[in-house]
Each structure stands twice: as C-alpha cells, then as structure tokens.
C-alpha cells in the first residue's frame, strides 16, 4: 500500500507539533485508498472515528479542537491501522503506536526574552569566593579551593554534605564578566536560601539568603548587576520538601520557631505527614533529612503562592523566573498556582520544570501530567536531547538522535520547543567531558581518583566541541553547566560539583564556546527559526534552522565519508571563516555551521 503521512511534513500536517484550542489543523494522507478514517482519542476518553474527505491526491480532514488536553490519533485506511513508525513515518501494523497531539490554551505563550538566549548554571558554593566567609555551626570549610568535596559517610552511615568551599554571591558578582563574554542571558542558580547542606536542597528558611552566601542586599546587587549585563536570574524553587533542620520542621531546635517535629500545635504541623509522631514521617525518597511537604495543604500553598508568599517575596527583584525542582512530585494544581502567581507578578517571567522524560505525555505516580497545556510550565529541562546528543557523539550513530529530535518536534508546542532548557550536564549528572571520555568506574572511591589520560582527554574535548555545536544550534536554549566551557571533569555527585578551576582554564575550549555564543547571538534564526533535516545517514546529519531572512545549515559528520553540499548563492563558514559559492566539501569526522550571514 503506497500511502504517505509524516506529521513533520507541512503538506501532511500544516502545523508542526502541538496546536492551540480552536486552531484549525489540516491533515492530509497521500496515496490511493478506497476509505480513510482518522481515529482520534482524547486521553482517558473513548475514541472517535472521523471520515476523511477524498482529494485529488489522497484524503484530508480539518480539525478544530476546543478542549485543551492530550490527544492520540491514528488512521484506519482500507481497514488497516496506520500508526507512528520509525522517524514518525506512517507504518501499517496492528501494534503501531498512535501519534499524539497536544492542544494547549489559546493564549499560551512563553517569554520571548528567553528564546535565542544562552543559560548558565551555577552551583553557588563552587563558583567563586570573594573571601570573608562566615562558617555556620556544624559546617566546615575546605582549606584549599582545589580539594575534592567530601563524599564519605560518617559513623552513622550518612553523608552530611556539610563541607563548603566558600563560593558566594559576591564571588559570582566578581565573575559576571565571564558570563557576559559567553553572551549569557539567563543565570540559573542552584538553591540560595538558608539551609544546612552545601547543596541547599534542604531548605531551612525560604525567605532568607544563606549567610554563607551573603545577605539579601548581596542578592539584590547580584540581580541588578546581572540586569545591567542583560542577564536575568532564575532561582531554584524547591517546594516538594524542606530540610529537617529548618524553621518549619525544626528537628534540632536551631530556629526560633515551633516546628512540626516539636509539636502537633505547630503552625507548620499540617505541612507534613507523620505515620508516628514525631520520628516517622514522609520524606523525599526516604531521606530523613528531607521531610516531604504536603503540597495540598492550604496553609503551605498560601505560604508559597499567596500575596505575602515566597514566590512574590523574591519577585520584587528583577528575576527571570523559577526552575521547579522535582516537578513530577508536585501536584498539577500546585504547579498551576505557582504559574499563576509568577505570571501575575511578572508576565515575562519563566517557569521551568525538572522533568527527565518526554514532558508532553509524562505519567508520574500513576497520573498523566498536564505540564505543557498552557496552565503549568513554560519549559522543561531537556534530558531526552542531552542523552541523544551524548549517544550520537559517543557512538557516531544518528538513529537515536534523529528519533529524539523528531519526537520533540512532533510532540511539543512550538513555543515550548523554542524555550527548552538544553543541557549536556547538571549538578545531578556526570560532567559532559567525563561522559564523553567513556571511562566507566563504580564506587565513589574510584570516582574520586579517576581522571582521563592525555589522549583520552584530547578525544573527549574533540567530542565535547561537536556536542556543543548541536546544543547551541538546535531548537531551545543551551544551558552551560559552570566549568564545562573550560574543560572540567567529574563523575557523579559530588564530583560533578567541584570548584571552578579559575587558574586551569582550557582556553581553546573556552574560545570554541565563545564562538558558538557569538554565532547564536548574531543570528536571529536560533530564536524561533524552523528546524528541518536536509540529509541523514547512519553517521552523518545535516539540518537547517530557517527564518524568513536567515538560514543556518549545521553539518555533523561522525563517519568516514566525504560529502559535497550544494546550494544556491553563498554561505559562510561561521566557525572557521570563509565564503563558499554553490557548494561546500564536508570532510570525514568533521562538523561545521554554514550561514547566509557573515559573522566576523
């Protein structure tokens, strides 16, 4: 049966990705068939069979859906089921999965300022210290910036995370020109609120800057210094749990409040769930130091989202928005209230969720999530793309990468696609250079002493440059995890959280990042330009980002074949320089970015 349908081909589906409610969508099937039905099912409801109309070239149907939500669809053509096959192409198989379609709110949009920009993530204790650090009780400061973070358990079998290097807000301010030189537009900070640990995901007081980082005045200065450089600060919103050593739980009595652990009469008692008071309580993944919060508790919801709540308290400064930690564990209703609060304080603020899978159809704890339908998140951390880039660059095989790119294009609304937080590594993952080095070790002791030899590192650096080319040119916004741009190594936590090596910078790698940043900032096509695959085989891919006036062609050849690219007019090699009229020779194991705009 010679039938053609591809949802990424605008001749078949005239709107790529998700649509908005009441937006007209036209689907076309091409080929000869005697009957054709669209089988459309809203998630959780019964399927509807819709007659498609015959055209000169096949079959067509126009849809206009008024209910927001997640839909699935397939075709029944001459009695056979046609569903989503490899690379989203139509395949006839009774077990073929359906295509999907998100219908989002008619007014759903994402902040324009974020699109086309560059993010930078900082783990505050490890970026730079301005000195004069006041060490809190029960904490200790490393003698040298070059020491390793402590990873060993104490006598009670716990890793306390109470070792610090002294990185602080004034230190970040002193190094903002480094970010400016990378053309950073959004600075994402791991938690800065008062807490016991160095990672600060065990919040002690949501309305206090951790004293080891500085004061609220320091934070205000940071936001204003960033604003002067065209950078917006994004805070980490950790609203699923607090610390046991906090104003709200107060297990050790360190705060001048009556905590939930101390008394059932505490104003915070209803925030938590005790199975046996006070020592048995729900906690994040069973970690007792992180008691879980009941996000359905009205008092807690108001504390975070109310007029005098945490979100608004910090939005009085020029913030770019919030990144929501463990979004999968926050109820939809709570995320909706977070979004409403943030947007009411600043309609231009961003709400990003930590979601590790396809956020368009995610099922978490037995429930389908509604992240991308216009009432919750603007964007998510793009872990699927991270994994796909690493797999492609490590193996030289394009299939997984292409499948992931096509999945994102087909499943996500365009405004979300342009706002994806494209990571290669974070504080929760192995450093990208170490991942590309390919030396796998088990156990923290081995991780603490394993570094790449010279040849392995050279190979990993070459791969990282290629990975960064993809990260900076695909749809979404690249996020540099501090130190990746200068060649930091490191296995899993805490070795991916080493201090920034200010006196040991790989200048060649840093130059590469700066060049990519300049290309991205000079070409508006990376803001909202369409993505189209021009060529692909098992080891090479060529794609374009195109707008009305600009085009950028990205070539990534991980194989041993040589290719000749032919085109009309003149394109410029944006990485190495040079103008090419009509054709370009793509060498084996090489990459380039060609553009119709010369960038010096």
């Amino acid at each position: 049966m010679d039938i053609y349908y591809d949802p990424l081909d605008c001749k078949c589906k005239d709107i790529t990705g998700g649509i908005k409610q009441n937006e007209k969508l036209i689907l076309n099937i091409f080929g000869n068939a005697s009957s054709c039905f669209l089988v459309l099912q809203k998630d959780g409801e019964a399927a509807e069979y819709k007659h498609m109309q015959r055209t000169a070239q096949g079959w067509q149907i126009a849809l206009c859906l008024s209910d927001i939500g997640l839909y699935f669809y397939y075709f029944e053509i001459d009695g056979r089921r046609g569903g989503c096959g490899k690379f989203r192409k139509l395949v006839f198989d009774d077990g073929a999965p359906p295509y999907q379609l998100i219908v989002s709110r008619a007014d759903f949009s994402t902040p324009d300022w974020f699109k086309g920009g560059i993010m930078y993530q900082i783990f505050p204790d490890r970026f730079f210290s301005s000195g004069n650090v006041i060490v809190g009780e029960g904490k200790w400061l490393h003698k040298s910036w070059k020491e390793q973070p402590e990873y060993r358990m104490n006598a009670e079998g716990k890793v306390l995370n109470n070792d610090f290097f002294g990185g602080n807000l004034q230190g970040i301010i002193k190094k903002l020109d480094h970010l400016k030189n990378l053309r950073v537009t959004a600075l994402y900070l791991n938690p800065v609120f008062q807490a016991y640990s160095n990672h600060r995901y065990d919040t002690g007081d949501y309305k206090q800057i951790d004293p080891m980082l500085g004061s609220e005045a320091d934070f205000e200065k940071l936001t204003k210094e960033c604003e002067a450089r065209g950078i917006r600060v994004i805070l980490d919103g950790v609203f699923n749990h607090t610390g046991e050593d906090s104003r709200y739980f107060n297990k050790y009595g360190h705060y001048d409040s009556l905590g939930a652990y101390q008394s059932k009469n505490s104003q915070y008692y209803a925030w938590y769930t005790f199975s046996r008071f006070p020592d048995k309580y729900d906690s994040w993944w069973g970690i007792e130091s992180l008691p879980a919060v009941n996000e359905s508790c009205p008092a807690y919801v108001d504390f975070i989202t109310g007029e005098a709540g945490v979100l608004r308290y910090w939005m009085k400064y020029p913030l770019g928005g919030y990144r929501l930690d463990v979004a999968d564990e926050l109820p939809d209703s709570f995320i909706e209230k977070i979004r409403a609060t943030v947007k009411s304080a600043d309609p231009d603020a961003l709400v990003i969720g930590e979601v590790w899978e396809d956020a368009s159809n995610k099922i978490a704890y037995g429930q389908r999530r509604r992240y991308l339908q216009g009432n919750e998140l603007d964007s998510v951390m793009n872990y699927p793309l991270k994994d796909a880039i690493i797999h492609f660059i490590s193996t030289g095989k394009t299939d997984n990468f292409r499948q992931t790119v096509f999945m994102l294009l087909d499943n996500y609304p365009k405004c979300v696609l342009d706002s994806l937080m494209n990571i290669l590594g974070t504080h929760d993952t192995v450093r990208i250079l170490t991942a590309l080095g390919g030396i796998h070790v088990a156990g923290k002791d081995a991780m603490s002493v394993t570094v790449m030899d010279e040849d392995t590192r050279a190979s990993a650096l070459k791969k990282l440059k290629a990975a960064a080319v993809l990260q900076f040119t695909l749809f979404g916004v690249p996020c540099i995890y501090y130190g990746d741009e200068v060649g930091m190594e490191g296995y899993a936590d805490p070795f991916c959280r080493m201090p920034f090596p200010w006196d040991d910078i790989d200048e060649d790698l840093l130059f590469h990042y700066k060049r990519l940043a300049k290309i991205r900032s000079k070409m508006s096509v990376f803001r909202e330009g369409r993505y189209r695959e021009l060529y692909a085989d098992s080891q090479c891919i060529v794609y374009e980002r195109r707008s009305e006036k600009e085009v950028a062609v990205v070539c990534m050849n991980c194989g041993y074949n040589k290719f000749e690219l032919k085109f009309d007019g003149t394109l410029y090699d944006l990485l190495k320089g040079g103008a090419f009229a009509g054709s370009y020779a793509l060498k084996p194991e090489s990459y380039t970015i060609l553009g119709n705009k010369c960038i010096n």
Side-chain angles (χ1 to χ4, degrees):
M1 187 182 293
D2 188 18
I3 303 292
Y4 174 73
Y5 176 77
D6 181 348
L8 302 181
D9 184 340
C10 62
K11 296 189 296 293
C12 296
K13 181 171 179 274
D14 68 338
I15 300 173
T16 302
I19 62 173
K20 296 185 177 182
Q21 60 184 150
N22 299 317
E23 184 174 31
K24 185 178 181 181
L25 173 68
I26 297 177
L27 303 180
N28 281 299
I29 294 282
F30 294 94
N32 295 318
S34 58
S35 68
C36 189
F37 292 87
L38 171 72
V39 184
L40 181 68
Q41 177 190 18
K42 187 177 182 184
D43 189 34
E45 299 183 5
E48 297 181 63
Y49 279 71
K50 295 179 178 290
H51 285 274
M52 296 185 72
Q53 302 298 313
R54 189 185 292 275
T55 68
Q57 296 175 305
W59 299 83
Q60 182 182 93
I61 189 170
L63 297 175
C64 189
L65 303 173
S66 59
D67 292 340
I68 69 171
L70 179 64
Y71 292 76
F72 299 98
Y73 69 95
Y74 62 92
F75 302 96
E76 191 169 291
I77 303 173
D78 289 347
R80 298 183 64 192
R81 176 184 174 120
C84 183
K86 188 174 183 179
F87 303 130
R88 321 305 282 187
K89 300 296 192 294
L90 186 71
V91 62
F92 288 94
D93 189 316
D94 289 342
Y99 294 98
Q100 77 164 53
L101 178 68
I102 277 188
V103 179
S104 58
R105 284 174 46 144
D107 61 352
F108 182 35
S109 64
T110 53
D112 286 337
W113 70 265
F114 186 64
K115 300 168 187 174
I118 297 170
M119 290 186 77
Y120 194 90
Q121 179 187 350
I122 287 178
F123 193 83
D125 182 58
R126 311 288 159 83
F127 190 61
F128 189 70
S129 176
S130 66
N132 301 320
V133 177
I134 301 174
V135 182
E137 182 181 351
K139 307 176 183 182
W140 60 276
L141 194 66
H142 284 269
K143 295 180 180 179
S144 168
W145 189 252
K146 296 182 179 181
E147 291 179 4
Q148 286 192 338
E150 182 56 64
Y151 64 92
R152 300 172 186 85
M153 295 181 180
N154 64 9
E156 298 175 353
K158 296 181 179 180
V159 178
L160 297 180
N161 294 305
N162 63 342
D163 62 313
F164 292 79
F165 286 85
N168 54 14
L169 299 182
Q170 285 288 352
I172 296 174
I173 292 170
K174 287 179 180 294
K175 293 296 184 179
L176 282 180
D177 285 344
H178 175 75
L179 275 61
K180 181 65 176 176
N181 290 336
L182 285 165
R183 300 174 188 262
V184 169
T185 54
L187 170 58
Y188 159 46
L189 296 175
N190 287 115
V192 297
F193 305 142
Q194 186 174 35
Y196 173 75
S197 74
N198 52 45
H199 55 70
R200 299 188 174 91
Y201 282 93
D202 53 335
T203 310
D205 190 330
Y206 284 106
K207 292 186 177 181
Q208 294 290 330
I209 295 295
D210 193 291
M212 289 191 70
L213 291 177
S215 63
E216 189 166 331
D218 293 326
F219 179 76
E220 179 180 16
K221 182 179 180 182
L222 173 62
T223 60
K224 290 183 176 179
E225 290 286 345
C226 283
E227 186 179 38
R229 292 168 173 82
I231 301 170
R232 299 199 190 193
V233 174
I234 296 174
L235 290 180
D236 218 332
V238 187
F239 303 134
N240 168 259
H241 49 267
T242 67
E244 60 181 353
D245 188 8
S246 66
R247 176 172 297 283
Y248 322 105
F249 203 71
N250 210 8
K251 187 172 185 178
Y252 304 109
H254 291 161
Y255 287 82
D256 60 350
S257 62
L258 186 64
Y261 182 87
Q262 297 169 305
S263 173
K264 293 182 180 181
N265 294 322
S266 168
Q267 63 176 313
Y268 307 115
Y269 179 78
W271 289 18
Y272 304 93
T273 302
F274 292 88
S275 57
R276 189 178 72 229
F277 182 81
D279 291 315
K280 294 293 183 181
Y281 47 86
D282 288 352
S283 59
W284 185 70
W285 286 34
I287 302 172
E288 290 185 357
S289 62
L290 300 174
V293 174
N294 176 11
E295 300 96 341
S296 299
C297 172
Y300 178 70
V301 172
D302 184 67
F303 177 76
I304 299 297
T305 66
E307 286 296 323
V310 172
L311 295 171
R312 289 184 180 276
Y313 184 87
W314 296 105
M315 292 292 289
K316 64 189 177 186
Y317 299 111
L319 289 188
Y322 289 89
R323 175 261 193 190
L324 301 185
D325 185 54
V326 293
D328 290 344
E329 301 183 39
L330 303 177
D332 285 311
S333 59
F334 186 43
I335 297 179
E336 288 177 2
K337 290 181 179 179
I338 289 173
R339 179 184 180 85
T341 300
V342 170
K343 297 295 184 178
S344 66
D346 181 359
D348 229 12
L350 187 73
V351 182
I352 300 175
E354 181 194 7
V355 181
W356 286 56
E357 300 82 13
D358 179 353
S360 66
N361 55 31
K362 179 71 185 287
I363 295 176
Y365 299 96
Q367 291 190 335
R368 181 84 70 183
R369 305 309 302 265
R370 307 191 298 264
Y371 296 133
L372 307 181
Q373 297 172 20
N375 291 317
E376 297 188 19
L377 304 175
D378 288 314
S379 172
V380 291
M381 300 174 74
N382 201 351
Y383 277 95
L385 186 62
K386 174 190 83 74
D387 295 340
I389 290 175
I390 292 174
H391 184 270
F392 176 23
I393 299 302
S394 296
T395 66
K397 298 177 181 179
T398 61
D399 269 20
N400 178 263
F401 174 79
R402 295 176 64 210
Q403 291 269 43
T404 301
V405 167
F406 290 161
M407 175 272 289
L408 294 169
L409 285 166
D410 194 22
N411 288 358
Y412 283 34
K414 181 67 164 59
C415 65
V416 174
L417 199 72
D418 293 328
S419 304
L420 287 171
M421 180 178 169
N422 289 343
I423 54 177
L424 290 179
T426 73
H427 62 290
D428 287 326
T429 65
V430 173
R431 284 270 175 186
I432 179 60
L433 190 63
T434 298
L436 294 174
I439 302 175
H440 302 288
V441 298
K444 295 294 178 76
D445 286 335
M447 292 178 186
S448 71
V449 296
T450 303
V451 295
M452 287 180 270
D453 59 42
E454 187 175 337
D455 289 342
T456 303
R457 182 176 171 87
S459 175
L461 285 168
K462 182 179 178 181
K463 291 176 181 178
L464 176 52
K465 288 181 179 180
V469 167
L470 298 175
Q471 182 192 25
F472 272 69
T473 58
L474 287 162
F475 43 78
V477 178
C479 180
I480 303 169
Y481 181 46
Y482 80 99
D484 282 349
E485 77 278 18
V486 300
M488 284 184 67
E489 299 180 34
Y491 286 93
D493 169 24
F495 307 109
C496 57
R497 305 174 181 181
M498 292 283 288
F500 193 108
W502 290 104
D503 58 353
D504 188 21
I505 290 175
D506 187 314
E507 295 290 350
D508 179 64
L509 181 61
L510 180 58
F511 176 83
H512 181 72
Y513 270 88
K514 287 180 178 179
R515 183 62 189 173
L516 289 174
K518 185 173 185 179
I519 292 168
R520 185 173 176 83
S521 67
K522 293 293 185 179
M523 293 196 72
S524 61
V525 72
F526 295 117
R527 179 177 299 276
E528 295 176 293
R530 295 283 174 177
Y531 174 97
R532 184 164 72 102
E533 184 182 277
L534 301 179
Y535 172 81
D537 64 17
S538 63
Q539 293 185 296
C540 178
I541 186 169
V542 180
Y543 59 85
E544 71 172 13
R545 299 293 307 280
R546 181 178 289 274
S547 61
E548 186 176 340
K549 295 182 180 180
E550 291 183 355
V551 62
V553 178
V554 182
C555 313
M556 185 63 60
N557 184 11
C558 292
Y560 300 104
N561 294 324
K562 180 180 178 180
F563 297 90
E564 184 179 12
L565 281 67
K566 293 188 176 181
F567 43 83
D568 295 328
T570 298
L571 293 179
Y572 302 91
D573 187 332
L574 302 184
L575 283 174
K576 297 180 180 179
F580 299 85
S583 67
Y584 178 89
L586 181 62
K587 298 178 181 179
E589 296 184 295
S590 70
Y591 53 80
T592 194
I593 305 172
L594 303 174
N596 66 342
K597 181 178 179 181
C598 183
I599 298 175
N600 295 320

